[in-house]
Amino acid sequence: MIILSSAWRAWVLAVALAVAVALPAEARVFRVADTQSADYPTVQAIVLMGRLIEERTHGRHSLRVFHSRQLGEEKETIEQTRVGAIDLNRTNIAPLGSFVPIANVLALPFLFRSVDHLHAVLDGPIGDDILASFKDYGFIGLTFYDSGARSIYTRRRAVHALADLKGLRIRVQQSELMVAMIRALGAVPVALPYGQVETALNTGLVDGAENNWPSYVTTNHFKVAPYYTLTEHTMSPEVLVMSRHAWDSLSNEDKTIFRDAARESNRFMREQWSALEEQSRRKAEAAGTTIVSDFPRQSFQQAMAPVYEKVLNSPALGRLVDRIREVR
Ligand code: GTR
Protein backbone atom coordinates (compact mmCIF):
# COMPACT_ATOMS: atom_id res chain seq x y z
CA MET A 1 0.00 0.00 0.00
CA ILE A 2 1.28 3.47 -0.83
CA ILE A 3 1.03 5.79 2.10
CA LEU A 4 1.09 9.46 1.16
CA SER A 5 2.31 12.07 3.55
CA SER A 6 -0.27 14.71 4.39
CA ALA A 7 1.62 17.27 2.27
CA TRP A 8 1.43 14.91 -0.70
CA ARG A 9 -2.23 14.22 -0.08
CA ALA A 10 -2.96 17.92 -0.08
CA TRP A 11 -1.05 18.32 -3.31
CA VAL A 12 -2.85 15.43 -5.05
CA LEU A 13 -6.19 16.82 -3.92
CA ALA A 14 -5.33 20.30 -5.18
CA VAL A 15 -4.33 18.90 -8.62
CA ALA A 16 -7.54 16.82 -8.83
CA LEU A 17 -9.63 19.86 -7.97
CA ALA A 18 -7.85 22.06 -10.50
CA VAL A 19 -8.48 19.44 -13.21
CA ALA A 20 -12.15 19.18 -12.27
CA VAL A 21 -12.59 22.95 -12.39
CA ALA A 22 -10.77 23.27 -15.72
CA LEU A 23 -12.80 20.51 -17.39
CA PRO A 24 -15.91 21.96 -18.99
CA ALA A 25 -19.26 20.40 -18.06
CA GLU A 26 -20.41 18.16 -20.87
CA ALA A 27 -21.13 20.20 -24.00
CA ARG A 28 -24.61 19.75 -25.44
CA VAL A 29 -26.95 20.72 -28.19
CA PHE A 30 -30.42 21.01 -26.61
CA ARG A 31 -33.42 20.15 -28.79
CA VAL A 32 -36.30 22.61 -28.68
CA ALA A 33 -39.81 22.04 -30.04
CA ASP A 34 -42.16 24.74 -31.28
CA THR A 35 -45.36 24.20 -33.23
CA GLN A 36 -45.20 27.57 -35.00
CA SER A 37 -43.32 28.34 -38.24
CA ALA A 38 -39.72 29.58 -38.55
CA ASP A 39 -40.52 33.30 -38.65
CA TYR A 40 -43.12 33.27 -35.84
CA PRO A 41 -42.04 35.44 -32.87
CA THR A 42 -41.84 32.51 -30.41
CA VAL A 43 -39.44 30.66 -32.70
CA GLN A 44 -37.40 33.81 -33.30
CA ALA A 45 -37.23 34.40 -29.55
CA ILE A 46 -35.85 30.91 -28.97
CA VAL A 47 -33.29 31.40 -31.75
CA LEU A 48 -32.14 34.55 -29.94
CA MET A 49 -32.04 32.66 -26.64
CA GLY A 50 -29.83 30.01 -28.29
CA ARG A 51 -27.46 32.69 -29.53
CA LEU A 52 -27.14 34.14 -26.03
CA ILE A 53 -26.52 30.72 -24.52
CA GLU A 54 -23.86 29.91 -27.09
CA GLU A 55 -22.08 33.21 -26.49
CA ARG A 56 -22.24 32.99 -22.71
CA THR A 57 -21.09 29.37 -22.49
CA HIS A 58 -18.36 30.03 -25.08
CA GLY A 59 -19.92 27.59 -27.50
CA ARG A 60 -20.25 24.77 -24.97
CA HIS A 61 -24.06 24.71 -25.10
CA SER A 62 -26.43 25.55 -27.92
CA LEU A 63 -30.08 25.13 -28.91
CA ARG A 64 -31.39 23.45 -32.02
CA VAL A 65 -34.89 24.66 -32.74
CA PHE A 66 -37.33 22.29 -34.44
CA HIS A 67 -40.17 24.60 -35.49
CA SER A 68 -43.31 23.83 -37.53
CA ARG A 69 -44.15 20.68 -35.54
CA GLN A 70 -41.06 18.83 -36.74
CA LEU A 71 -40.97 16.99 -33.41
CA GLY A 72 -44.71 16.35 -33.38
CA GLU A 73 -47.89 18.07 -32.31
CA GLU A 74 -48.08 20.02 -29.06
CA LYS A 75 -49.60 17.29 -26.88
CA GLU A 76 -46.99 14.69 -27.88
CA THR A 77 -44.10 17.11 -27.53
CA ILE A 78 -45.26 17.94 -24.00
CA GLU A 79 -45.29 14.23 -23.17
CA GLN A 80 -41.83 13.82 -24.67
CA THR A 81 -40.50 16.80 -22.76
CA ARG A 82 -41.81 15.36 -19.53
CA VAL A 83 -39.86 12.14 -20.06
CA GLY A 84 -36.76 13.99 -21.26
CA ALA A 85 -36.82 13.00 -24.95
CA ILE A 86 -37.18 16.70 -25.88
CA ASP A 87 -35.09 19.20 -23.93
CA LEU A 88 -37.10 22.41 -24.27
CA ASN A 89 -40.59 23.08 -25.50
CA ARG A 90 -42.56 26.18 -26.35
CA THR A 91 -46.29 25.56 -26.19
CA ASN A 92 -49.42 27.42 -25.34
CA ILE A 93 -50.38 27.26 -21.67
CA ALA A 94 -53.76 25.58 -22.39
CA PRO A 95 -52.46 22.21 -23.62
CA LEU A 96 -49.86 22.23 -20.84
CA GLY A 97 -52.75 22.55 -18.39
CA SER A 98 -53.74 18.94 -19.10
CA PHE A 99 -50.39 17.94 -17.51
CA VAL A 100 -49.95 20.73 -14.97
CA PRO A 101 -53.35 21.74 -13.54
CA ILE A 102 -52.17 25.10 -12.19
CA ALA A 103 -51.33 26.16 -15.76
CA ASN A 104 -55.04 26.08 -16.58
CA VAL A 105 -55.65 29.07 -14.37
CA LEU A 106 -53.89 31.31 -16.90
CA ALA A 107 -56.17 30.04 -19.66
CA LEU A 108 -59.40 30.78 -17.79
CA PRO A 109 -61.86 32.73 -19.92
CA PHE A 110 -62.26 36.46 -19.29
CA LEU A 111 -59.86 36.40 -16.35
CA PHE A 112 -57.53 39.19 -17.47
CA ARG A 113 -58.86 42.72 -17.82
CA SER A 114 -56.23 43.75 -20.36
CA VAL A 115 -52.81 42.85 -21.75
CA ASP A 116 -51.30 45.12 -19.08
CA HIS A 117 -53.06 43.13 -16.38
CA LEU A 118 -51.78 39.88 -17.90
CA HIS A 119 -48.22 41.22 -18.06
CA ALA A 120 -48.37 42.50 -14.48
CA VAL A 121 -49.38 39.00 -13.34
CA LEU A 122 -46.85 37.10 -15.45
CA ASP A 123 -43.95 39.43 -14.66
CA GLY A 124 -44.62 39.49 -10.92
CA PRO A 125 -44.49 36.97 -8.08
CA ILE A 126 -47.58 35.08 -9.33
CA GLY A 127 -45.91 34.36 -12.68
CA ASP A 128 -42.75 33.23 -10.86
CA ASP A 129 -44.74 30.99 -8.50
CA ILE A 130 -46.60 29.36 -11.38
CA LEU A 131 -43.41 28.69 -13.36
CA ALA A 132 -41.72 27.30 -10.23
CA SER A 133 -44.59 24.92 -9.53
CA PHE A 134 -44.11 23.09 -12.86
CA LYS A 135 -41.13 21.30 -11.31
CA ASP A 136 -43.31 18.72 -9.56
CA TYR A 137 -44.63 17.63 -12.96
CA GLY A 138 -41.28 17.13 -14.70
CA PHE A 139 -40.90 20.60 -16.25
CA ILE A 140 -38.86 23.67 -15.45
CA GLY A 141 -40.79 26.82 -16.33
CA LEU A 142 -38.39 29.29 -17.97
CA THR A 143 -40.53 32.12 -19.28
CA PHE A 144 -43.88 33.16 -20.72
CA TYR A 145 -44.33 34.65 -24.17
CA ASP A 146 -47.17 36.79 -25.51
CA SER A 147 -50.07 35.30 -27.37
CA GLY A 148 -52.60 38.13 -27.44
CA ALA A 149 -56.24 37.17 -27.07
CA ARG A 150 -58.01 34.28 -28.77
CA SER A 151 -61.28 34.84 -30.63
CA ILE A 152 -63.74 32.61 -32.47
CA TYR A 153 -63.82 32.43 -36.26
CA THR A 154 -66.21 30.59 -38.51
CA ARG A 155 -66.54 29.41 -42.10
CA ARG A 156 -70.07 30.07 -43.27
CA ARG A 157 -71.67 32.76 -41.16
CA ALA A 158 -70.72 35.27 -38.54
CA VAL A 159 -71.29 34.74 -34.84
CA HIS A 160 -73.11 37.75 -33.35
CA ALA A 161 -74.55 36.11 -30.26
CA LEU A 162 -74.43 32.89 -28.25
CA ALA A 163 -77.40 31.57 -30.22
CA ASP A 164 -75.28 31.63 -33.41
CA LEU A 165 -72.82 29.20 -31.84
CA LYS A 166 -75.42 26.61 -31.00
CA GLY A 167 -74.44 23.26 -32.49
CA LEU A 168 -71.45 24.63 -34.43
CA ARG A 169 -68.43 22.33 -34.43
CA ILE A 170 -65.55 24.43 -33.14
CA ARG A 171 -61.98 23.17 -33.12
CA VAL A 172 -60.11 23.55 -29.85
CA GLN A 173 -56.60 22.75 -28.65
CA GLN A 174 -56.06 19.40 -26.98
CA SER A 175 -57.04 20.84 -23.63
CA GLU A 176 -59.85 19.80 -21.31
CA LEU A 177 -60.37 23.41 -20.34
CA MET A 178 -60.86 24.52 -23.93
CA VAL A 179 -63.26 21.63 -24.55
CA ALA A 180 -65.29 22.70 -21.51
CA MET A 181 -65.22 26.33 -22.62
CA ILE A 182 -66.64 25.69 -26.08
CA ARG A 183 -69.24 23.34 -24.66
CA ALA A 184 -70.30 26.03 -22.15
CA LEU A 185 -70.90 28.35 -25.11
CA GLY A 186 -73.36 25.85 -26.59
CA ALA A 187 -71.11 24.74 -29.45
CA VAL A 188 -69.60 21.30 -30.07
CA PRO A 189 -65.89 21.17 -29.23
CA VAL A 190 -63.59 19.21 -31.56
CA ALA A 191 -60.13 18.80 -30.04
CA LEU A 192 -57.56 18.60 -32.83
CA PRO A 193 -53.81 19.18 -33.10
CA TYR A 194 -52.83 22.53 -34.61
CA GLY A 195 -51.47 20.95 -37.79
CA GLN A 196 -54.84 19.42 -38.68
CA VAL A 197 -57.00 22.49 -38.38
CA GLU A 198 -56.57 23.88 -41.89
CA THR A 199 -57.69 20.60 -43.44
CA ALA A 200 -60.52 20.27 -40.93
CA LEU A 201 -61.77 23.73 -41.93
CA ASN A 202 -61.33 23.01 -45.62
CA THR A 203 -63.21 19.73 -45.53
CA GLY A 204 -65.95 21.03 -43.26
CA LEU A 205 -65.04 18.65 -40.44
CA VAL A 206 -65.31 21.74 -38.26
CA ASP A 207 -67.33 24.93 -38.74
CA GLY A 208 -64.82 27.14 -37.03
CA ALA A 209 -61.95 27.47 -34.61
CA GLU A 210 -60.49 30.04 -32.25
CA ASN A 211 -57.10 31.68 -32.11
CA ASN A 212 -55.18 34.96 -32.01
CA TRP A 213 -54.67 37.14 -35.11
CA PRO A 214 -51.13 35.95 -36.00
CA SER A 215 -52.08 32.26 -35.80
CA TYR A 216 -55.31 32.85 -37.75
CA VAL A 217 -53.28 34.41 -40.55
CA THR A 218 -50.00 32.40 -40.60
CA THR A 219 -51.96 29.13 -40.81
CA ASN A 220 -54.17 30.39 -43.65
CA HIS A 221 -57.29 29.78 -41.59
CA PHE A 222 -58.43 33.27 -42.57
CA LYS A 223 -58.80 32.09 -46.17
CA VAL A 224 -61.33 29.42 -45.20
CA ALA A 225 -63.04 30.94 -42.17
CA PRO A 226 -63.59 34.61 -42.98
CA TYR A 227 -65.82 35.59 -40.01
CA TYR A 228 -63.86 36.64 -36.95
CA THR A 229 -65.86 37.55 -33.82
CA LEU A 230 -63.76 39.49 -31.33
CA THR A 231 -64.75 37.34 -28.37
CA GLU A 232 -61.23 37.62 -26.93
CA HIS A 233 -62.36 34.89 -24.57
CA THR A 234 -58.92 33.90 -23.31
CA MET A 235 -55.45 35.42 -23.12
CA SER A 236 -53.71 32.10 -22.49
CA PRO A 237 -50.02 32.96 -22.85
CA GLU A 238 -47.29 30.89 -24.48
CA VAL A 239 -44.77 29.25 -22.19
CA LEU A 240 -41.25 27.90 -22.55
CA VAL A 241 -40.42 24.89 -20.42
CA MET A 242 -37.34 22.73 -20.08
CA SER A 243 -37.41 19.06 -19.30
CA ARG A 244 -36.34 18.41 -15.73
CA HIS A 245 -33.87 15.81 -17.00
CA ALA A 246 -32.08 18.34 -19.21
CA TRP A 247 -32.18 20.97 -16.47
CA ASP A 248 -30.56 18.64 -13.95
CA SER A 249 -27.67 18.12 -16.36
CA LEU A 250 -26.74 21.83 -16.15
CA SER A 251 -24.27 23.33 -13.71
CA ASN A 252 -25.62 26.09 -11.46
CA GLU A 253 -23.81 28.67 -13.52
CA ASP A 254 -25.35 27.33 -16.74
CA LYS A 255 -28.80 27.29 -15.15
CA THR A 256 -28.46 31.02 -14.54
CA ILE A 257 -27.34 31.53 -18.14
CA PHE A 258 -30.39 29.62 -19.44
CA ARG A 259 -32.81 31.51 -17.17
CA ASP A 260 -31.40 34.92 -18.07
CA ALA A 261 -31.37 34.13 -21.78
CA ALA A 262 -35.01 32.98 -21.59
CA ARG A 263 -36.00 36.20 -19.83
CA GLU A 264 -34.22 38.30 -22.43
CA SER A 265 -35.87 36.35 -25.25
CA ASN A 266 -39.25 37.21 -23.68
CA ARG A 267 -38.50 40.95 -23.88
CA PHE A 268 -37.43 40.55 -27.51
CA MET A 269 -40.61 38.63 -28.30
CA ARG A 270 -42.83 41.27 -26.74
CA GLU A 271 -41.29 43.96 -28.89
CA GLN A 272 -42.37 42.09 -32.01
CA TRP A 273 -45.73 40.85 -30.89
CA SER A 274 -48.10 43.81 -31.00
CA ALA A 275 -46.83 44.90 -34.41
CA LEU A 276 -47.44 41.40 -35.74
CA GLU A 277 -50.94 41.30 -34.25
CA GLU A 278 -51.81 44.55 -35.98
CA GLN A 279 -50.22 43.48 -39.25
CA SER A 280 -52.07 40.13 -39.20
CA ARG A 281 -55.40 41.80 -38.51
CA ARG A 282 -54.84 44.19 -41.43
CA LYS A 283 -53.89 41.32 -43.73
CA ALA A 284 -57.05 39.41 -42.82
CA GLU A 285 -59.21 42.50 -43.30
CA ALA A 286 -57.65 43.21 -46.67
CA ALA A 287 -58.44 39.65 -47.69
CA GLY A 288 -62.10 40.17 -46.82
CA THR A 289 -62.41 38.93 -43.24
CA THR A 290 -65.55 40.25 -41.55
CA ILE A 291 -64.79 41.36 -38.02
CA VAL A 292 -67.66 41.28 -35.54
CA SER A 293 -66.81 43.49 -32.60
CA ASP A 294 -70.18 44.29 -31.06
CA PHE A 295 -71.61 41.21 -29.50
CA PRO A 296 -73.07 40.65 -26.01
CA ARG A 297 -69.82 40.04 -24.14
CA GLN A 298 -71.62 39.68 -20.84
CA SER A 299 -73.64 36.67 -21.94
CA PHE A 300 -70.41 34.97 -23.06
CA GLN A 301 -68.84 35.76 -19.71
CA GLN A 302 -71.80 34.47 -17.74
CA ALA A 303 -71.82 31.23 -19.72
CA MET A 304 -68.32 30.46 -18.41
CA ALA A 305 -69.35 29.61 -14.84
CA PRO A 306 -69.07 25.81 -15.39
CA VAL A 307 -65.51 26.25 -16.70
CA TYR A 308 -64.45 28.02 -13.51
CA GLU A 309 -66.11 25.30 -11.46
CA LYS A 310 -64.23 22.59 -13.36
CA VAL A 311 -60.80 24.22 -13.16
CA LEU A 312 -60.96 25.64 -9.64
CA ASN A 313 -61.33 22.26 -8.00
CA SER A 314 -59.18 23.11 -4.98
CA PRO A 315 -59.18 26.05 -2.56
CA ALA A 316 -55.56 26.82 -3.55
CA LEU A 317 -56.54 27.39 -7.18
CA GLY A 318 -59.46 29.55 -6.08
CA ARG A 319 -57.09 31.70 -4.01
CA LEU A 320 -54.74 31.99 -6.98
CA VAL A 321 -57.55 33.39 -9.12
CA ASP A 322 -58.37 35.91 -6.37
CA ARG A 323 -54.72 36.97 -6.24
CA ILE A 324 -54.70 37.41 -10.03
CA ARG A 325 -57.84 39.55 -9.91
CA GLU A 326 -56.33 41.75 -7.21
CA VAL A 327 -53.28 42.63 -9.33
CA ARG A 328 -53.62 46.20 -10.59
C1 GTR B 1 -51.35 29.13 -31.13
C2 GTR B 1 -50.20 28.74 -30.20
C3 GTR B 1 -49.77 27.31 -30.47
C4 GTR B 1 -50.94 26.35 -30.46
C5 GTR B 1 -52.04 26.87 -31.35
C6 GTR B 1 -53.28 25.98 -31.34
O1 GTR B 1 -51.81 30.42 -30.82
O2 GTR B 1 -49.11 29.58 -30.44
O3 GTR B 1 -48.79 26.94 -29.54
O4 GTR B 1 -51.40 26.12 -29.16
O5 GTR B 1 -52.41 28.19 -30.98
O6 GTR B 1 -54.36 26.52 -31.40
O7 GTR B 1 -53.12 24.76 -31.33
Side-chain angles (χ1 to χ4, degrees):
M1 192 162 68
I2 305 167
I3 299 180
L4 295 177
S5 72
S6 59
W8 264 100
R9 270 204 306 272
W11 185 83
V12 169
L13 196 68
V15 170
L17 263 177
V19 169
V21 170
L23 272 181
E26 203 188 330
R28 270 192 72 181
V29 177
F30 292 85
R31 290 163 19 115
V32 195
D34 192 314
T35 188
Q36 297 284 13
S37 54
D39 53 359
Y40 202 83
T42 50
V43 176
Q44 287 304 310
I46 299 163
V47 169
L48 171 85
M49 175 177 164
R51 225 179 291 137
L52 296 175
I53 289 173
E54 224 170 313
E55 264 168 40
R56 293 171 188 177
T57 62
H58 307 289
R60 221 170 357 96
H61 291 322
S62 58
L63 303 184
R64 175 148 182 226
V65 189
F66 293 86
H67 54 79
S68 313
R69 303 183 299 281
Q70 293 171 73
L71 296 182
E73 294 283 2
E74 229 155 51
K75 184 165 175 265
E76 293 120 53
T77 60
I78 296 173
E79 279 160 4
Q80 290 183 37
T81 310
R82 189 174 53 180
V83 298
I86 291 176
D87 301 312
L88 290 105
N89 197 359
R90 196 293 304 164
T91 72
N92 186 254
I93 201 85
L96 188 70
S98 300
F99 298 81
V100 184
I102 196 175
N104 271 331
V105 168
L106 296 176
L108 278 170
F110 303 109
L111 174 60
F112 297 102
R113 297 183 299 273
S114 62
V115 174
D116 287 346
H117 179 209
L118 172 75
H119 284 170
V121 170
L122 299 184
D123 297 348
I126 300 181
D128 289 344
D129 288 354
I130 293 177
L131 288 177
S133 68
F134 293 177
K135 200 168 177 179
D136 296 341
Y137 302 88
F139 307 99
I140 301 298
L142 289 181
T143 191
F144 295 107
Y145 292 127
D146 277 11
S147 193
R150 297 175 76 101
S151 289
I152 293 176
Y153 46 89
T154 42
R155 288 170 71 219
R156 294 206 187 282
R157 54 185 167 79
V159 170
H160 294 278
L162 273 183
D164 296 329
L165 272 171
K166 193 139 190 66
L168 284 192
R169 293 168 61 83
I170 303 292
R171 177 270 169 173
V172 289
Q173 294 154 297
Q174 290 170 293
S175 141
E176 288 144 34
L177 177 142
M178 295 303 282
V179 165
M181 185 185 308
I182 291 300
R183 193 166 288 137
L185 292 174
V188 180
V190 181
L192 283 178
Y194 197 38
Q196 290 177 21
V197 187
E198 193 184 354
T199 309
L201 284 167
N202 268 314
T203 56
L205 174 69
V206 294
D207 302 303
E210 50 82 54
N211 221 316
N212 55 34
W213 283 114
S215 298
Y216 174 58
V217 169
T218 51
T219 52
N220 284 330
H221 296 175
F222 74 114
K223 294 184 180 160
V224 210
Y227 302 99
Y228 194 94
T229 300
L230 276 176
T231 50
E232 299 188 328
H233 49 273
T234 152
M235 289 195 184
S236 55
E238 317 286 14
V239 65
L240 179 69
V241 297
M242 188 156 180
S243 119
R244 216 178 143 167
H245 292 258
W247 181 254
D248 289 343
S249 76
L250 293 176
S251 68
N252 284 342
E253 194 191 326
D254 287 344
K255 283 178 181 160
T256 307
I257 292 176
F258 271 62
R259 274 205 190 283
D260 290 350
R263 224 169 280 135
E264 285 168 53
S265 75
N266 167 11
R267 282 199 286 276
F268 163 85
M269 200 272 182
R270 265 189 203 169
E271 281 161 24
Q272 304 196 3
W273 181 255
S274 29
L276 180 67
E277 264 188 323
E278 179 58 20
Q279 192 188 314
S280 309
R281 190 182 56 81
R282 265 191 272 119
K283 187 168 172 183
E285 267 184 300
T289 292
T290 304
I291 302 175
V292 179
S293 49
D294 73 339
F295 69 100
R297 172 172 295 270
Q298 237 185 340
S299 60
F300 275 64
Q301 249 165 298
Q302 280 160 0
M304 295 303 179
V307 183
Y308 275 74
E309 237 166 76
K310 182 178 165 62
V311 171
L312 306 184
N313 54 11
S314 77
L317 292 182
R319 277 196 299 277
L320 181 59
V321 167
D322 292 341
R323 271 176 79 198
I324 290 177
R325 288 197 170 121
E326 279 158 18
V327 173
R328 292 288 131 203

